């Protein structure tokens, strides 16, 4: 079994889900007392969030690069960056790294395409929905990506940062997300990507009229499958 390097803390609420999911999948695959062989580097999200707010993405990338190299030094065979938004600095994270990054966007695109879907809605932080780094990665895989209206994007972002990253799960926020998801489906989305690792703490497949793609679970499953040698790394777009 390869050693999974989990780069988390953004937030720790979702990173704990990664740890649970990778171990559950290893147990399901191997049975008995088996668990995932992992190392975890958890950053202080307060520092990263301030860099996001200030637009200091180069600084954030340098910090994650240091963390990824620490995972490599600790024996990780590959890196799983446990956040969608910070894939904005994936190239900076990989600089000088001797082990591969299992890119969340590639794992997600692979799952969407395997489901026979090409037009997909995207929920996430305001950075993930509004900036091109994530949408373009999905589009390069041949997907047509829809994002919510500006008003809905602001709503989705606020709930993530004001509630979910703090471990707050409100029924009213779940209902608000259901409305956003329904509007994406009405706009032609054949499926919806839950493109923030905290979103799965709030909504599930039952909250959508179309198939959903929970990126935390998809990423964790892809990590285990690669660690066990049953699949190769998800291919980047050509």
């Amino acid at each position: 079994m390869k050693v999974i390097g989990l780069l988390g803390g953004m937030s720790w609420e979702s990173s704990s889900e990664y740890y649970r999911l990778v171990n559950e999948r290893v147990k399901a695959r191997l049975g008995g007392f088996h668990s995932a062989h992992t190392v975890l580097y958890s950053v202080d999200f307060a520092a990263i969030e301030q860099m996001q707010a200030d637009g200091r993405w180069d600084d954030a990338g340098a910090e994650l690069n240091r963390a990824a190299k620490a995972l490599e030094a600790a024996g990780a065979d590959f890196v799983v960056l446990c956040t969608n938004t910070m894939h904005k600095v994936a190239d900076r994270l990989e600089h000088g790294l001797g082990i591969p990054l299992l890119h969340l966007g590639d794992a997600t695109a692979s799952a969407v395409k395997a489901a026979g879907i090409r037009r997909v809605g995207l929920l996430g932080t305001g950075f993930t929905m509004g900036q091109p780094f994530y949408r373009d990665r999905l589009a390069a895989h041949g997907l047509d990506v829809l994002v919510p209206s500006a008003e809905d994007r602001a709503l989705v972002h606020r709930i993530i940062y004001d509630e979910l990253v703090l471990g707050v799960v409100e029924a009213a926020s779940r209902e608000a997300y259901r409305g956003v998801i329904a509007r994406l489906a009405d706009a032609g989305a054949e499926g919806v990507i839950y493109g923030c690792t905290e979103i799965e703490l709030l909504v599930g497949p039952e909250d959508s009229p179309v198939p959903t793609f929970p990126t935390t679970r998809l990423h964790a499953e892809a990590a285990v499958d690669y660690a066990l040698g049953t699949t190769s790394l998800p291919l980047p777009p050509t």
Side-chain angles (χ1 to χ4, degrees), residues 96-131:
L97 193 64
I99 56 177
L101 171 71
L102 197 168
H103 197 289
L104 193 155
D106 297 339
T108 300
S110 177
V112 173
K113 291 167 66 176
I117 288 173
R118 287 296 181 270
R119 196 171 201 213
V120 65
L122 174 63
L123 298 182
T125 67
F127 308 111
T128 299
M129 293 183 292
Q131 297 181 16

Side-chain angles (χ1 to χ4, degrees), residues 69-172:
K69 288 178 177 176
L71 286 171
E72 182 179 10
D77 291 307
F78 63 103
V79 173
V80 173
L81 179 58
C82 304
T83 161
N84 285 267
T85 297
M86 296 312 295
H87 277 74
K88 177 178 172 68
V89 298
D91 289 348
R92 182 68 181 85
L93 180 153
E94 293 177 289
H95 183 71
L97 193 64
I99 56 177
L101 171 71
L102 197 168
H103 197 289
L104 193 155
D106 297 339
T108 300
S110 177
V112 173
K113 291 167 66 176
I117 288 173
R118 287 296 181 270
R119 196 171 201 213
V120 65
L122 174 63
L123 298 182
T125 67
F127 308 111
T128 299
M129 293 183 292
Q131 297 181 16
F133 70 92
Y134 199 86
R135 291 183 284 110
D136 285 357
R137 186 86 176 200
L138 297 174
H141 282 282
L143 299 179
D144 182 11
V145 183
L146 303 179
V147 296
S149 67
E151 181 180 359
D152 280 350
R153 292 199 303 270
L155 169 70
V156 170
H157 181 89
R158 179 189 62 74
I159 289 172
I160 291 169
Y161 277 86
D162 291 354
E163 299 176 17
L164 299 180
V165 300
L166 302 175
V168 177
V169 178
E170 299 283 357

Side-chain angles (χ1 to χ4, degrees), residues 27-50:
K27 183 177 180 180
R29 287 294 178 88
L30 301 181
F33 295 110
H34 284 288
S35 58
H37 198 177
T38 66
V39 291
L40 168 65
Y41 190 111
S42 187
V43 303
D44 178 4
F45 187 44
I48 299 296
E49 190 278 332
Q50 190 61 57

